[in-house]
Amino acid sequence: MKLTDFPSDIRDLVIPAPAGEMLYRCLDCGNEHGINELLYVCPDCGSVMMLHETSNLAAKKADGPTWRKVLDHRRMLNIPALKGIYRYHEFLGPVVPLESVIYLGEGHTPVVEANSRLQELTGARFFFKNDGQNPSASFKDRGMASALSYINSLIQKGTMKEILAVCASTGDTSAAAALYASYLTEGIKSAVLLPQGKVTPQQLSQPLGNGAKVFEIPGVFDDCMKVVENLSSRYDVALLNSKNAWRILGQESYSFEIAQDFDYDMANMVVVVPIGNAGNITAVMNGFLKFLDAGIIETLPKIIGVQSHHANPVYRYYLEPDTAKREFKPVTVKPSVAQAAMIGNPVSMPRVINVVETYNRLSGQKNVFFMEVTEQAIMDSELIANRNGHIACTQGGETLAGLMEAVKQGLISSDETAVIDSTAHALKFSGFQETYFTGTFPPEFGITPNPELINAPEELKAEGLTEFPASGAPLTGEAFERFVRLSADAIAARLNLSRQT
Ligand SMILES: *Cc1c(COP(=O)(O)O)cnc(C)c1O
Ligand SMILES: [Zn+2]
């Protein structure tokens, strides 16, 4: 739709110009720092930071009902910069000019309702929000679009040049970083560090295909993270891990979209996310808090964070009901099929602690919950979901298992609706499905395949056939017709099909 066709009362608000004041705020000492420099941790105390818009821009521009109208009309615009996460420009990076925004098709991922069979099995009404349908096939694209658009604005202003973008990754961060960096060919190169043998071949192929320098490091993700942190503290590089507050900011779009897709009515809604480095759950809570503050939504949805029993530091922390007695202890992770969330010492833990407290307080009750699920439940749930028309990854299986656990604990009532996060595409993690189907999980996973969920290709060579087509050597004439007919009959026999009358 053309701007001139928009209602006159909102026409001036539909296309945003750069505005507002943004600062990094330290979650520990509370000091604030300007954004002209890329900072990852507080220069004063070393803690993680969050970005804040300090001029109250959104509230000054419009009230809640007006914002709803503006955002819904932005859906109809055909301006690339406003087609992705920057539909919510004022709530993400209002200082970023639209000319700097990199849009590669991220965000606005489908919300797909589970069929009645799956809802019955789960005991709750729910939708998958398929973040695997982002360009690099995971939600990390949201944060990368935000971080790289901001870096692009610094390059365009001339404050930064010759940037090396680096990250440590369980696979998906590096895929997203390499993709977005490769789009920005002027002045930016990317390098990624991966734990050797701990990412899937599909995930490895992504940064390689996008031309990033890929380093495989012995150890697990937490070890790679330490190397990258050291690198960024001593060399001039742009760190693209979720320590980078611009990443968290972009990922808030997930919540804005849920609000918009449910007509801003968040009463009786539950949002379920897997937790690894805990950046995503931080972003999801923060997004809803911002929309509440702007009057766009009136209720905060219930949040459920899910961890595997093989990588559960956040779950353990919140097991202690007494806030004063809670103490964070990193855990040593064990192998997990939810490999993208296999993290023992989450970088964003201070953010989680901070935002959970605010979220519960503004909800007027405890409204954030944490579930622990087994590796078996994760795998079984993923396979069951995909047998019912979904494209869930193993982390999507983890959220479904978490939803079922929450139902079992009586945390979800029959009038509630859940939106559960499938954070990546099933294809990225198809190796685990293969391992399940072939019954070859190493014992440390503790997974025994359920025969009812196993599937395998069957060879079909019809009895009585002696000649078969091969590539470069097709069958012809009577031999080909015989091959086609007898093969069809053999399939019909195996499937017990009845003949047409
Ligand atoms: C990164 C990632 C996670 C974990 O998200 P955090 O922000 O680290 O908690 C979960 N699933 C997938 C597919 C991921 O790539
Ligand atoms: Zn500080």
Side-chain angles (χ1 to χ4, degrees):
M1 199 193 237
K2 292 206 179 82
L3 189 61
T4 43
D5 297 330
F6 280 68
S8 56
D9 60 326
I10 58 162
R11 213 173 287 159
D12 290 345
L13 291 168
V14 172
I15 300 176
E21 244 350 284
M22 290 179 79
L23 290 170
Y24 294 107
R25 188 175 297 152
C26 174
L27 286 180
D28 197 0
C29 71
N31 287 353
E32 291 181 338
H33 302 274
I35 58 164
N36 285 335
E37 228 184 314
L38 278 174
L39 295 176
Y40 313 110
V41 290
C42 173
D44 303 324
C45 77
S47 185
V48 283
M49 300 190 289
M50 301 265 277
L51 283 157
H52 287 271
E53 201 288 310
T54 53
S55 77
N56 219 4
L57 174 74
K60 274 193 220 147
K61 262 188 141 172
D63 59 11
T66 309
W67 268 123
R68 295 199 280 264
K69 200 168 165 186
V70 168
L71 296 177
D72 287 346
H73 279 81
R74 273 188 195 164
R75 265 188 167 154
M76 293 185 258
L77 283 171
N78 287 312
I79 298 171
L82 293 172
K83 276 180 162 296
I85 60 167
Y86 278 99
R87 178 188 293 168
Y88 312 101
H89 185 261
E90 290 82 352
F91 302 90
L92 291 181
V95 299
V96 177
L98 296 190
E99 303 79 66
S100 303
V101 169
I102 301 169
Y103 169 64
L104 301 185
E106 67 284 343
H108 311 292
T109 51
V111 177
V112 179
E113 184 165 12
N115 63 18
S116 51
R117 190 165 81 122
L118 191 52
Q119 299 206 15
E120 217 163 278
L121 195 73
T122 309
R125 177 169 188 244
F126 78 98
F127 295 72
F128 263 110
K129 183 163 169 64
N130 288 334
D131 257 23
Q133 285 175 270
N134 275 299
S136 81
S138 88
F139 77 82
K140 299 292 200 303
D141 292 328
R142 298 175 179 277
M144 240 23 109
S146 165
L148 271 296
S149 295
Y150 179 62
I151 290 176
N152 194 30
S153 77
L154 296 180
I155 297 174
Q156 289 177 339
K157 268 200 278 182
T159 30
M160 266 185 114
K161 47 178 178 276
E162 292 297 306
I163 298 165
L164 178 69
V166 294
C167 63
S169 174
T170 52
D172 295 328
T173 300
S174 63
L179 177 66
Y180 282 80
S182 72
Y183 189 82
L184 268 180
T185 47
E186 286 302 307
I188 188 154
K189 290 196 180 63
S190 64
V192 304
L193 276 69
L194 303 171
Q196 196 159 31
K198 299 283 187 313
V199 306
T200 72
Q202 294 82 354
Q203 290 172 316
L204 180 59
S205 79
Q206 293 187 290
L208 289 175
N210 288 120
K213 200 88 187 133
V214 177
F215 298 102
E216 292 185 302
I217 310 244
V220 295
F221 170 80
D222 296 302
D223 304 308
C224 284
M225 192 64 214
K226 285 286 175 235
V227 176
V228 159
E229 281 172 6
N230 188 287
L231 191 71
S232 70
S233 69
R234 298 192 300 125
Y235 295 88
D236 220 4
V237 296
L239 180 69
L240 290 181
N241 276 96
S242 52
K243 272 214 164 157
N244 187 326
W246 290 92
R247 284 267 319 276
I248 307 293
L249 195 66
Q251 288 166 204
E252 291 174 9
S253 57
Y254 189 80
S255 301
F256 303 155
E257 290 170 21
I258 291 175
Q260 189 165 22
D261 281 338
F262 287 86
D263 294 322
Y264 309 101
D265 183 3
M266 293 289 100
N268 298 318
M269 294 291 293
V270 182
V271 177
V272 189
V273 293
I275 306 177
N277 238 340
N280 203 33
I281 190 167
T282 304
V284 166
M285 289 186 291
N286 222 35
F288 287 121
L289 285 171
K290 275 190 193 169
F291 265 23
L292 182 78
D293 188 53
I296 297 173
I297 59 172
E298 275 154 22
T299 328
L300 290 169
K302 185 180 287 175
I303 303 288
I304 297 180
V306 189
Q307 293 207 296
S308 160
H309 62 147
H310 282 177
N312 58 359
V314 183
Y315 169 78
R316 279 167 178 260
Y317 175 84
Y318 283 102
L319 266 184
E320 169 59 61
D322 184 348
T323 324
K325 282 202 205 135
R326 280 183 195 146
E327 197 190 337
F328 181 73
K329 289 197 205 88
V331 305
T332 303
V333 296
K334 295 199 201 104
S336 174
V337 294
Q339 197 167 264
M342 203 178 104
I343 291 168
N345 191 11
V347 158
S348 285
M349 196 63 206
R351 291 175 173 141
V352 173
I353 294 170
N354 185 288
V355 180
V356 165
E357 194 276 318
T358 311
Y359 201 94
N360 283 334
R361 182 162 42 78
L362 293 179
S363 297
Q365 60 185 14
K366 185 173 172 188
N367 212 15
V368 186
F369 300 87
F370 298 89
M371 299 290 126
E372 178 185 60
V373 295
T374 63
E375 288 294 310
Q376 181 80 47
I378 295 172
M379 245 356 269
D380 290 347
S381 301
E382 184 204 5
L383 297 174
I384 290 166
N386 295 352
R387 285 198 160 207
N388 285 278
H390 298 283
I391 48 170
C393 62
T394 43
Q395 294 68 225
E398 185 174 24
T399 54
L400 178 54
L403 175 66
M404 290 189 195
E405 180 60 29
V407 171
K408 204 177 350 159
Q409 293 185 14
L411 265 174
I412 296 185
S413 59
S414 57
D415 59 351
E416 285 179 300
T417 297
V419 176
I420 77 173
D421 195 347
S422 178
T423 43
H425 198 288
L427 288 176
K428 283 209 193 208
F429 296 87
S430 59
F432 289 116
Q433 174 180 292
E434 165 89 7
T435 308
Y436 189 101
F437 288 173
T438 52
T440 48
F441 270 113
E444 325 63 286
F445 282 90
I447 295 176
T448 311
N450 172 355
E452 281 174 25
L453 293 175
I454 291 178
N455 204 358
E458 293 176 29
E459 196 186 52
L460 187 107
K461 275 189 170 169
E463 240 175 85
L465 278 181
T466 48
E467 290 181 276
F468 299 94
S471 67
L475 290 182
T476 52
E478 173 57 24
F480 182 57
E481 274 165 34
R482 207 175 128 73
F483 162 76
V484 170
R485 187 164 25 89
L486 291 187
S487 296
D489 286 344
I491 291 170
R494 283 201 203 169
L495 295 177
N496 252 333
L497 303 182
S498 41
R499 261 191 174 271
Q500 287 172 3
T501 47

